[in-house]
Amino acid sequence: MKFLAFSPGAQMGRFFRDVDQAVPAGTPMAEAAPLLTEVLHRHGITLQDWP
């Protein structure tokens, strides 16, 4: 998974750095979803209709 993010605040920078470190490049989505869920929970983010 690749992404480019611009954020005006330090919190968003920490979030995207966490995503980058938690999910190695090339990770299939089926394997990445649980890793991303952990990152979301660490940052207090909830999504509807997320695996």
Side-chain angles (χ1 to χ4, degrees):
M1 175 183 299
K2 286 187 177 187
F3 61 88
L4 174 63
F6 294 93
S7 65
Q11 286 183 313
M12 285 303 295
R14 285 190 293 273
F15 169 75
F16 285 111
R17 182 175 48 250
D18 196 3
V19 170
D20 182 54
Q21 292 173 349
V23 184
T27 302
M29 191 57 178
E31 294 175 24
L35 301 172
L36 289 170
T37 299
E38 290 176 18
V39 172
L40 293 173
H41 287 300
R42 281 198 293 271
H43 292 271
I45 298 170
T46 57
L47 300 175
Q48 289 184 336
D49 301 323
W50 180 254

